[in-house]
């Protein structure tokens, strides 16, 4: 007898309701359709493939770009799967006997979800093995990694279509939080699934509060004050350089804040340890480069601070999006100085001209956002091609500009600058 969708949702996850488009996505996958899911971070993409995987016969393969991310998800699934099926990871960190165990669980049909890194999936021995198994579907998480236009291109992702074909002609599910058209088209084409059912959610995150402050010499004091007002809450601080990460982490520690640094210069063990401590709440604040965060499911991150502004609005959106995934408050505070933009421009100086042009255009959007006095949510959503009703839209008043409109003379100054630009271009 087939289990009712809502019963399964309750049984496996303890939820009574689907979030957003989840129900339609799950139905599409249960129906063996190629499916493409575009939902913002925190939208609940994992459940879209985890629930059908648990309900279907056989093993679902989940391709995911990072070991940390897979571990995170498997731990979460194991929490619910003690009695209902098993999630496994297959990657380079396993030894021979662990690999054999995983394979035997797949063969005996116990494994419902198999998480693999793309570079592992490409291995011939695995492909040969998986060919002979009962595979329910292949889900490709963080599917934007397939596109050079995305913010996190991974060349191994481009081979996935071929591998999937070899394993079996099973449905493919692509999932991403990248909202730009270009990346979406690229994903559908490269995965050979232009026939897919497409589900695109709104990118509005109504529970996030956006704030931009001028970056002064007092920036560290500002950050400390901000954190101390939120004692015991979890937060992430993003910095541009590893050096700055370590500096800020130290300043915070000296000031009695439970902070740890995270960047790609630390060895894997230290990184895993700091990440786990953050997830387990043994540490309140992680100070990090962009190496930290992709897919990390800590639902109650209450604030994301940008000590340095990112190089595109897309990155800004992804990074701030790690706050408030549980739907509770998420404060996104960015410190902005124009000289940081100049610094980012300088980093691009050695790149090919075409790349510099793209980089420059992306940076101009960041400047526009940082300096605007309009509704920040509207600005971000417009960037993603979405209309936002700044009067009645959800979260319409959730930014610094809307809560404390600039004093008249400041606003006037900004108008004056815009007018100047308009006049100049008219000439
Ligand atoms: P994404 O991968 O889209 O960024 P996740 O799959 O990590 O998002 O889910 C974000 C959060 O939403 C998680 O904490 C998850 O437990 C929660 N969540 C997902 N689906 C539901 C639901 N139907 N009801 C309540 N919470 C949900
Ligand atoms: Mg995810």
């Amino acid at each position: 007898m087939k289990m009712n969708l809502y019963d399964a949702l309750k049984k496996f996850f303890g939820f009574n309701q689907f979030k957003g488009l989840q129900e339609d996505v799950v139905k599409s996958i249960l129906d063996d359709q190629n499916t493409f899911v575009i939902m913002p971070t925190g939208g609940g993409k994992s459940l879209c493939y985890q629930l059908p995987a648990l309900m279907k016969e056989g093993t679902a393969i989940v391709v995911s770009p990072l070991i940390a991310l897979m571990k995170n998800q498997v731990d979460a699934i194991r929490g619910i799967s003690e009695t209902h099926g098993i999630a496994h990871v297959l990657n380079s960190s396993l030894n021979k006997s662990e690999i054999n165990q995983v394979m035997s669980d797949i063969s005996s049909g116990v494994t419902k979800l198999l998480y693999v890194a793309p570079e592992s999936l490409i291995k011939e021995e695995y492909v040969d093995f998986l060919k002979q198994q009962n595979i329910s579907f292949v889900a490709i998480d963080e599917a934007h990694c397939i596109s050079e236009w995305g913010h996190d291109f991974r060349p191994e992702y481009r081979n996935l279509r071929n591998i999937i074909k070899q394993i079996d002609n099973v449905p493919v599910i692509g999932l991403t939080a990248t909202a730009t058209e270009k990346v979406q088209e690229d994903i559908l084409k490269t995965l050979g699934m232009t026939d897919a059912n497409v589900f695109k959610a709104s990118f509005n995150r109504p529970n996030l509060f956006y704030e931009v402050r001028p970056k002064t010499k007092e920036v560290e004091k500002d950050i400390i004050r901000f954190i101390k007002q939120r004692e015991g809450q979890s937060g992430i601080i993003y910095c541009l350089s590893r050096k700055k990460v370590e500096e800020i982490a130290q300043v915070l520690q000296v000031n009695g804040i439970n902070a740890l640094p995270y960047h790609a210069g630390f060895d894997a063990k230290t990184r895993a340890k700091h990440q786990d401590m953050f997830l387990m709440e043994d540490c309140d604040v992680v100070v990090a480069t962009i190496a930290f965060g992709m897919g990390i499911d800590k639902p109650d991150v209450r604030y994301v601070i940008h000590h340095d502004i990112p190089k595109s609005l897309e990155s800004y959106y992804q990074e701030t999006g790690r706050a408030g995934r549980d739907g509770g408050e998420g404060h996104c505070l960015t410190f902005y100085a124009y000289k940081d933009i100049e610094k980012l421009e300088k980093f691009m100086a050695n790149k090919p001209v075409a790349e510099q042009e793209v980089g420059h255009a992306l940076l101009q959007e960041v400047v526009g956002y940082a300096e605007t006095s309009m509704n920040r949510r509207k600005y971000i959503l417009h960037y993603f091609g979405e209309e936002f009703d700044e009067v009645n839209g959800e979260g319409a008043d959730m930014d610094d500009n809307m809560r404390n409109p600039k004093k008249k003379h400041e606003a006037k100054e900004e108008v004056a600058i815009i007018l100047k630009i308009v006049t100049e271009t008219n000439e």
Side-chain angles (χ1 to χ4, degrees), residues 9 15 17-19 22 40-47 297 299 325:
L9 179 68
F15 297 143
Q17 297 294 328
F18 286 101
K19 220 159 112 174
Q22 279 176 339
T41 306
K45 287 187 286 300
S46 320
L47 189 142
D297 182 13
R325 288 170 70 137

Side-chain angles (χ1 to χ4, degrees), residues 45-46 49 73 141-142 295 325:
K45 287 187 286 300
S46 320
Y49 56 80
Q73 293 233 337
D141 207 358
E142 315 288 349
R325 288 170 70 137

Side-chain angles (χ1 to χ4, degrees), residues 258 260 276-284:
N258 196 349
L260 285 173
D276 284 347
M277 284 177 75
F278 183 61
L279 294 175
M280 306 303 293
E281 321 232 306
D282 292 330
C283 138
D284 294 332

